[in-house]
Amino acid sequence: MHVDMDAFFVLVELRTRPELKGKMVIVGHPEGRSVVLSASYEARARGVRSAMPMVTAQRMCPNAVVIAPQHQLYQQVSGQIMEIFHSITATVEQLSVDEAFLDISGSLRRLGTPLEIGALIRARIAAELGITASVGIAASKFVAKVASTRCKPNGMLLIEKNRTVEYLHTLPVEALWGVGAKTRETLARLGIFTVADLAATPVSALQRALGSSGANLHALAWGIDPRPVTPEHQEKSIGAEETFAHDTHDDVILTRELLRLSHRVAARLRQSELSGRTVALKLKYADFSAVSRSRTLGTATDSSAAIYAAAVALLQGLGPRGQAVRLIGVRMEKLEALDEVPLQLELDPRDGNSRNAEVVGDAIAARFGNAKIGPARLLKPRDSA
């Protein structure tokens, strides 16, 4: 089973803004060179897509309502979604904040047929979280993902095992994993436009045109995907980055943004019950060239203060910059489960005060939803009025 929320960020926002239901809504920062994070289906009907530059989206939908993202809130709701999944089966493979694969074979006797289980999940998500989900059910991960995509939004589709190939062969070739714009063009030159066309093409011809991915696509075209649902998916890194509205040389702006990003990364670490040992800094300059630096800490941490201090030190270590900065990012690597990190004893009790305040902020945000707790330095003039 593949379960995917519908326009996740948008629907979470509409829970407190029901007057916007049925309207064109875009989640993303409204100014500068930011990108669309999520769009309502009404905006998608006008061509707006995730990762599209915000200026392009606003040009396509000048009357759309643009909502600034609340990442901590989305992480909180994501945790609630995963709790629902784990109440159905222990075999859950989370793919992102709003989607996962579930192996429900061990739940059939307890909860009923696959369609009954899918209906149960959708009903609980709607009743408990106020959002909708689409569910694809099939004999393999790939086909379940295809099914959930084809029944969006707010639908459910079961593709029975003995009809898998029949169903796949009705689809355009871009329905296969790994077929993007360039691969689609390559296949079109070979006269391949549907999954059925690809399935009928010799593997050797596909490998000559596409390399090693040719054999994999041929297998998918016949519904062959032996990968199991893997429940223990460990993130390798957690990061956040921001593109400035205007390129900047100003260290005050850069360090302020590092503080904001450090808080976002630390909150995600604590939400995932992880800590990181290596802090990485990324800069992208006006000419789109990029540089990255990293520093390994003495002990793993999920504290924004520790992350921020290391990130600022890395920035200062770069020395004078010949170009203005277009993008800045912070990432934590070498992640460890929080319960596996050795206890770090502190002589000065004030050393842990910053993290303790952050944990309290997490609890307040979890209880009150839209509450925003953070350092005063990040307040905008209208916030402090």
Side-chain angles (χ1 to χ4, degrees):
M1 180 176 289
H2 180 260
V3 187
D4 192 9
M5 305 305 111
D6 302 312
F8 178 50
F9 293 174
V10 169
L11 290 191
V12 171
E13 296 291 347
L14 294 192
R15 298 188 309 177
T16 55
R17 302 182 66 174
E19 72 278 6
L20 296 179
K21 290 182 178 179
K23 297 184 178 181
M24 292 181 291
V25 179
I26 299 172
V27 174
H29 293 288
E31 64 280 325
R33 292 178 296 207
S34 59
V35 299
V36 174
L37 299 179
S38 183
S40 67
Y41 284 89
E42 292 76 13
R44 295 184 192 192
R46 295 288 190 90
V48 177
R49 295 290 182 269
S50 296
M52 173 183 287
M54 184 63 74
V55 292
T56 303
Q58 289 180 297
R59 188 163 56 245
M60 299 173 76
C61 292
N63 297 323
V65 177
V66 179
I67 301 175
Q70 302 183 75
H71 293 284
Q72 190 167 356
L73 174 61
Y74 307 147
Q75 288 291 331
Q76 174 196 338
V77 178
S78 173
Q80 295 170 322
I81 292 168
M82 297 306 150
E83 286 180 6
I84 291 175
F85 292 166
H86 280 96
S87 71
I88 301 296
T89 174
T91 314
V92 177
E93 181 179 345
Q94 183 174 353
L95 301 179
S96 66
V97 292
D98 69 331
E99 65 174 317
F101 284 115
L102 287 70
D103 184 339
I104 59 169
S105 56
S107 306
L108 299 177
R109 179 174 297 181
R110 177 170 59 96
L111 297 176
T113 68
L115 285 174
E116 288 172 334
I117 294 174
L120 172 63
I121 291 173
R122 295 178 65 235
R124 286 192 58 186
I125 289 173
E128 298 175 26
L129 304 180
I131 59 179
T132 63
S134 296
V135 176
I137 309 168
S140 68
K141 291 167 68 172
F142 160 63
V143 182
K145 171 70 171 174
V146 169
S148 70
T149 300
R150 307 299 289 189
C151 70
K152 277 185 164 293
N154 195 22
M156 180 165 61
L157 177 61
L158 166 66
I159 301 175
E160 297 189 17
K161 185 175 183 179
N162 61 355
R163 303 195 67 181
T164 295
V165 172
E166 175 188 348
Y167 179 81
L168 288 178
H169 287 189
T170 67
L171 302 179
V173 72
E174 54 265 31
L176 297 178
W177 270 339
V179 178
K182 291 184 178 180
T183 301
R184 186 173 65 246
E185 291 174 4
T186 300
L187 293 173
R189 288 195 293 269
L190 298 175
I192 299 172
F193 300 96
T194 68
V195 175
D197 293 338
L198 194 146
T201 303
V203 175
S204 58
L206 294 173
Q207 289 178 317
R208 283 196 298 271
L210 303 173
S212 59
S213 64
N216 182 57
L217 288 178
H218 189 268
L220 293 180
W222 287 100
I224 300 171
D225 179 18
R227 298 169 307 153
V229 176
T230 307
E232 295 299 329
H233 174 69
Q234 179 73 28
E235 292 189 83
K236 295 183 178 179
S237 65
I238 288 178
E241 58 187 38
E242 184 65 35
T243 300
F244 296 110
H246 304 285
D247 300 341
T248 182
H249 288 278
D250 193 336
D251 277 355
V252 173
I253 293 175
L254 294 176
T255 55
R256 186 177 187 275
E257 189 60 30
L258 282 179
L259 180 60
R260 189 176 71 84
L261 294 174
S262 296
H263 273 266
R264 189 192 300 181
V265 170
R268 287 187 58 196
L269 285 168
R270 293 191 297 273
Q271 176 73 26
S272 303
E273 297 186 345
L274 297 170
S275 59
R277 189 176 292 274
T278 297
V279 181
L281 171 73
K282 173 184 176 181
L283 293 184
K284 184 178 288 186
Y285 294 114
D287 67 352
F288 289 89
S289 62
V291 62
S292 60
R293 297 289 186 272
S294 63
R295 169 176 292 187
T296 299
L297 308 176
T299 186
T301 185
D302 61 3
S303 164
S304 64
I307 297 170
Y308 173 67
V312 170
L314 289 168
L315 179 66
Q316 294 171 343
L318 290 173
R321 295 180 298 275
Q323 296 188 59
V325 175
R326 173 185 176 86
L327 172 149
I328 193 166
V330 177
R331 181 166 295 276
M332 287 298 288
E333 302 170 346
K334 295 186 179 179
L335 303 185
E336 304 175 17
L338 199 58
D339 57 6
E340 296 177 359
V341 177
L343 178 65
Q344 180 72 20
L345 298 177
E346 298 162 341
L347 296 177
D348 187 342
R350 293 173 299 178
D351 291 346
N353 285 350
S354 176
R355 183 187 183 279
N356 291 340
E358 294 169 31
V359 172
V360 172
D362 293 342
I364 292 173
R367 181 170 181 179
F368 296 103
N370 292 334
K372 295 182 178 179
I373 309 297
R377 184 182 169 192
L378 297 181
L379 287 175
K380 298 178 181 178
R382 65 174 180 271
D383 296 330
S384 55

